[in-house]
């Protein structure tokens, strides 16, 4: 991949909320996407993650219910997505755990964000849309999927073939966020 391709991919990737529910994602594509998450960097190479890929329609509907809110009217689009990837936090290794305690930083949160970014960029490279859902009911999702205790459900990444139009990104200007050498 040449650098221009990467920057075009970054510009193209957006949070999609409309998917073609009848178009399935091939298993080899899902494998490559998960591989991108598996290969992502982590503090002290801790790799504090595991993933559950769900394509079964009945299970997806139950997960969508556990990743949405009727009261706040949010995330109901998750039912349309033909794939849901549940991202769980695993125990970090000794070095990352001790370093995190010393610095007051929970490095696993950073690591899981990096893995999610890799997954969503890989999905975009495969021609898929995605959306990271942080509003999850950990207990319900663990129950639905039979996830053992000691693992925390952090997010649900929904993906599929997007029917959302590409939107221009609304971001702060570089001058508002960038400082060089000092504040």
């Amino acid at each position: 991949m040449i650098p221009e391709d990467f920057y075009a991919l970054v510009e193209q990737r957006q949070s999609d909320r409309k998917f073609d529910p009848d178009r399935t994602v091939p298993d080899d594509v899902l494998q490559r996407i998960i591989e991108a998450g598996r290969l992502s960097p982590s503090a002290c190479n801790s790799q504090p993650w595991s993933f559950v890929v769900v394509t079964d329609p009945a299970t997806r509907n139950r997960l969508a219910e556990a990743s949405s809110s009727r009261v706040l009217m949010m995330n109901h689009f998750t039912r349309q997505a033909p794939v849901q990837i549940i991202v769980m936090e695993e125990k970090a290794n000794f070095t990352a755990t001790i370093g995190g305690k010393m610095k007051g930083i929970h490095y696993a949160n950073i690591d899981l964000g990096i893995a999610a970014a890799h997954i969503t960029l890989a999905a975009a490279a495969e021609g898929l849309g995605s959306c990271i859902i942080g509003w999850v009911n950990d207990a319900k999702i663990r129950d639905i999927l039979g996830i053992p205790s000691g693992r925390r459900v952090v997010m649900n990444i929904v993906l599929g073939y997007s029917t959302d139009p590409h939107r221009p990104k609304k971001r702060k200007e570089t001058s508002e966020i960038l400082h060089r050498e000092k504040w």
Side-chain angles (χ1 to χ4, degrees):
M1 172 185 270
I2 57 175
E4 293 83 20
D5 291 341
F6 176 75
Y7 296 114
L9 183 67
V10 168
E11 197 284 324
Q12 168 198 335
R13 198 266 158 205
Q14 64 186 15
S15 293
D16 289 307
R17 292 171 178 84
K18 293 179 185 170
F19 302 96
D20 183 343
D22 300 319
R23 193 166 172 202
T24 60
V25 179
D27 284 339
D28 62 320
V29 171
L30 289 174
Q31 280 300 124
R32 287 192 297 271
I33 291 168
I34 293 299
E35 185 69 358
R38 185 184 76 82
L39 293 174
S40 63
S42 60
C44 304
N45 199 28
S46 190
Q47 304 172 55
W49 51 64
S50 57
F51 312 103
V52 178
V53 175
V54 178
T55 57
D56 173 70
T59 306
R60 285 190 347 248
N61 279 334
R62 292 178 67 203
L63 291 174
E65 184 68 30
S67 301
S68 61
S69 170
R70 288 188 179 141
V71 174
L72 298 176
M73 300 298 295
M74 59 191 274
N75 298 340
H76 293 290
F77 66 89
T78 55
R79 293 186 193 289
Q80 297 175 18
V83 178
Q84 294 185 37
I85 302 172
I86 302 301
V87 180
M88 288 154 302
E89 178 184 344
E90 298 285 342
K91 290 185 190 231
N93 64 22
F94 179 78
T95 309
T97 301
I98 294 301
K101 288 184 189 299
M102 291 172 66
K103 297 300 284 180
I105 298 171
H106 189 67
Y107 288 113
N109 286 342
I110 297 167
D111 298 339
L112 292 167
I114 295 167
H118 276 63
I119 287 169
T120 57
L121 285 170
E126 295 283 354
L128 299 170
S130 63
C131 190
I132 300 169
I133 308 297
W135 180 280
V136 293
N137 184 320
D138 172 69
K140 276 188 182 178
I141 292 175
R142 281 191 292 113
D143 182 57
I144 292 165
L145 298 177
I147 297 168
S149 63
R151 284 146 182 96
R152 181 174 66 99
V153 174
V154 176
M155 65 188 88
N156 180 356
I157 302 174
V158 298
L159 57 90
Y161 292 96
S162 177
T163 58
D164 257 344
H166 184 267
R167 302 177 301 275
K169 293 190 184 290
K170 296 177 183 175
R171 299 293 188 267
K172 293 178 182 178
E173 293 296 323
T174 303
S175 62
E176 296 178 78
I177 63 162
L178 177 64
H179 309 278
R180 292 186 181 259
E181 310 301 335
K182 63 180 184 175
W183 188 262

